[in-house]
Amino acid sequence: MPRFDFDLFTIGAGSGGVRASRVAAAFGARVAIAEERYLGGTCVNVGCIPKKLFSYAAHYREDFHHAVGYGWSSTTAEFDLARLVANKNREIERLNGVYRRLLDTAGVTILDGRATLIDAHTVKINGQHRSARYILVATGSWPVVPAIPGAGLAITSNEAFFLPALPRRVVVVGGGYIAVEFASIFNGMGADTTLVYRGARILRGFDHELGAVLAEEMQKKGVTIRLNANIAAIAPTDGGLRATLADGGTLEADCIMYATGRAPNTRKLGLEAAGVTLTAKGAIAVDAYSQSAAASIYAIGDVTDRVNLTPVATAEGMAVANTLFNHRPTALDYENIPTAIFANPNVATVGLSEGNARSRGGAIDVYASRFRPLKHTLSGSDEQMFMKLVVERTSNRVVGAHMVGADAGEIIQGIAIAIKCGATKAQFDATIGIHPTAAEEFVTMREPRKA
Ligand SMILES: Cc1cc2nc3c(=O)[nH]c(=O)nc-3n(C[C@H](O)[C@H](O)[C@H](O)COP(=O)(O)OP(=O)(O)OC[C@H]3O[C@@H](n4cnc5c(N)ncnc54)[C@H](O)[C@@H]3O)c2cc1C
């Protein structure tokens, strides 16, 4: 008789947990996975996937407008959020089914319910104790709303995906990627949208020009951006909500959405009893192999608050499966992780920002270009694209690539391979462009910016 019920017990069937479980099972491990809410986790249900679908939906309004310059008749299209939500829900249900089948086919035991830890080898779920040689905590994160008066009247991204109708006036609070994405979504759908952010520049943590350029472009499209502003209280009014700002000003809205941060899902999991330690921010503390302070307990994804992205969570899951069940101890390489922000226009980035490259001390050259893409010569739009390369002068290596503009994520994904391979600026220059594209700008910028 085996000593444990399972070789691996995964808590949380999101991006990281599902990947780790499937790969571990493929290596021959006996695996169980517990899920309390929805298969596929945040990304599939209330994150990347529905967000991108909403972003597509929001884009049509300006596409209809741009088409007129290309000879199409002006249309008066109506937007029905309820229909989009229903169609999106159907697609997500299909994906939930795909995830269930993937796990079933891999031979993973799915346990629907909330799991908690009893000790370093025991999990409790639906009143039963299950033992495992290893436990993987992949419980993700949850949005947090600051404790201001009236906070309960605000929504988060979780609820934004299920609104029954498009609010007429929306206030989005925050300056990170989820905030700018939703401000673009609501604005594109036709709501009167205001973004309120307490800092001086949106997209803090990214190359400084990305936030500045994005703010300018979003404002051209009609989003009102209030920087250095903070909501002190929210109160109901006759037909909607009133946000009182810290400076005493007020904003009237029908919907106020907070996107000011997410907290790791570590509460009431029994982690401390099992010997797991937490960071100051409440995330599970792990080493390079995602092993926690308790030797038999591993943790991956948002609950560890390292790089909170789906492809990172899945890569960490694969690494843990390789480490534990394939005799290949694997530590993830966190250098040069590309990422996109699906605001309108899109933003994408890989490698070092200009600021980070400068703070390393070595000399750098910056190549940058801002231009009107060909499409907008006839569309009537004054939207501009922005591209930037950061080059380490001594090695000539391109250490950062940044972009604001249509399809930025699609373009930067390719550039990320070159950067991961250590490509030099000379190799970028030797690459023939594809004409006419916007992306060719990345291989034709010849003059570094004057310092
Ligand atoms: C609005 C939004 C947009 C995003 N857009 C992008 C994007 O475009 N690209 C990108 O890469 N990332 C995006 N992300 C981030 C991405 O969704 C997360 O990084 C990713 O889902 C993390 O995966 P995970 O496995 O750590 O956790 P999750 O996917 O959150 O999965 C955790 C799972 O654990 C379950 N769970 C929690 N506690 C228990 C318990 N005790 N017992 C049983 N089950 C439990 C939860 O129900 C959940 O299903 C977005 C996130 C949000 C909120």
Side-chain angles (χ1 to χ4, degrees):
M1 280 288 285
R3 194 172 144 218
F4 300 109
D5 297 334
F6 298 100
D7 298 316
L8 178 71
F9 194 107
T10 303
I11 307 180
S15 308
V18 167
R19 181 63 64 89
S21 302
R22 285 175 51 205
V23 177
F27 290 144
R30 297 168 308 130
V31 184
I33 191 165
E35 173 53 53
E36 68 172 339
R37 194 169 280 112
Y38 29 44
L39 289 179
T42 302
C43 180
V44 168
N45 295 277
V46 288
C48 336
I49 301 298
K51 186 263 315 271
K52 190 88 188 275
L53 295 176
F54 274 31
S55 171
Y56 284 132
H59 231 283
Y60 278 103
R61 192 165 65 107
E62 67 175 27
D63 289 344
F64 293 140
H65 199 64
H66 293 163
V68 178
Y70 280 90
W72 293 93
S73 302
S74 171
T75 52
T76 47
E78 294 279 315
F79 177 66
D80 180 357
L81 181 61
R83 181 144 49 94
L84 171 66
V85 170
N87 290 346
K88 179 268 294 178
N89 289 347
R90 211 171 31 249
E91 172 58 11
I92 303 300
E93 272 171 34
R94 188 187 71 79
L95 291 174
N96 296 146
V98 168
Y99 271 77
R100 191 168 287 276
R101 276 195 300 282
L102 282 173
L103 288 164
D104 277 341
T105 312
V108 175
T109 303
I110 304 172
L111 300 168
D112 297 309
R114 179 172 171 77
T116 50
L117 293 163
I118 299 298
D119 61 39
H121 289 284
T122 314
V123 171
K124 184 177 174 193
I125 177 160
N126 300 331
Q128 287 193 320
H129 286 198
R130 306 290 187 123
S131 65
R133 187 163 150 221
Y134 296 109
I135 295 169
L136 177 63
V137 185
T139 48
S141 60
W142 199 250
V144 275
V145 177
I148 56 165
L153 298 167
I155 64 163
T156 68
S157 54
N158 282 349
E159 297 76 38
F161 290 116
F162 298 92
L163 292 175
L166 183 66
R168 195 166 58 80
R169 300 157 303 175
V170 179
V171 170
V172 179
V173 190
Y177 82 95
I178 295 175
V180 300
E181 288 175 337
F182 270 94
S184 293
I185 285 169
F186 284 123
N187 181 60
M189 288 175 175
D192 179 349
T193 307
T194 303
L195 181 71
V196 173
Y197 178 50
R198 65 177 181 187
R201 193 185 71 230
I202 58 172
L203 297 187
R204 194 169 50 94
F206 291 86
D207 185 275
H208 67 282
E209 284 182 281
L210 294 180
V213 173
L214 178 65
E216 225 179 274
E217 297 296 336
M218 284 175 67
Q219 280 166 321
K220 283 189 204 166
K221 292 177 190 292
V223 178
T224 303
I225 300 183
R226 302 276 304 258
L227 298 175
N228 302 307
N230 213 351
I231 295 182
I234 301 172
T237 59
D238 270 353
L241 300 169
R242 178 174 300 129
T244 304
L245 301 175
D247 68 4
T250 55
L251 286 173
E252 305 291 326
D254 301 298
C255 171
I256 299 177
M257 175 184 150
Y258 267 83
T260 46
R262 297 176 63 84
N265 271 333
T266 48
R267 287 191 59 229
K268 297 189 179 161
L269 273 181
L271 292 166
E272 294 80 358
V276 174
T277 57
L278 302 183
T279 68
K281 285 186 179 170
I284 297 183
V286 287
D287 69 9
Y289 298 91
S290 297
Q291 189 177 31
S292 78
S296 59
I297 301 178
Y298 285 68
I300 54 170
D302 283 15
V303 76
T304 61
D305 196 23
R306 288 176 282 184
V307 178
N308 298 331
L309 293 169
T310 279
V312 176
T314 52
E316 287 168 351
M318 298 257 285
V320 167
N322 267 300
T323 299
L324 298 180
F325 303 109
N326 195 30
H327 315 290
R328 279 177 49 198
T330 308
L332 202 66
D333 174 9
Y334 291 88
E335 289 267 303
N336 295 318
I337 293 172
T339 183
I341 297 151
F342 297 98
N344 188 7
N346 286 185
V347 177
T349 178
V350 60
L352 297 179
S353 67
E354 180 180 342
N356 283 347
R358 285 197 193 288
S359 65
R360 283 184 166 194
I364 61 160
D365 285 319
V366 173
Y367 298 77
S369 176
R370 194 160 180 198
F371 58 96
R372 183 167 67 156
L374 179 62
K375 183 181 175 189
H376 294 316
T377 55
L378 297 191
S379 71
S381 165
D382 57 358
E383 180 180 325
Q384 289 190 310
M385 280 197 165
F386 174 72
M387 292 182 188
K388 177 170 180 177
L389 290 176
V390 181
V391 177
E392 191 179 62
R393 199 176 294 161
T394 43
S395 65
N396 194 239
R397 274 186 51 212
V398 179
V399 292
H402 313 281
M403 174 174 171
V404 181
D407 301 320
E410 309 288 344
I411 293 170
I412 290 291
Q413 180 69 84
I415 302 275
I417 301 171
I419 292 188
K420 194 82 186 164
C421 294
T424 63
K425 180 66 170 63
Q427 289 168 322
F428 270 62
D429 293 346
T431 304
I432 304 288
I434 299 175
H435 187 71
T437 62
E440 66 181 318
E441 196 71 12
F442 271 124
V443 295
T444 53
M445 291 190 281
R446 292 286 183 269
E447 287 299 315
R449 225 181 225 168
K450 303 269 180 293

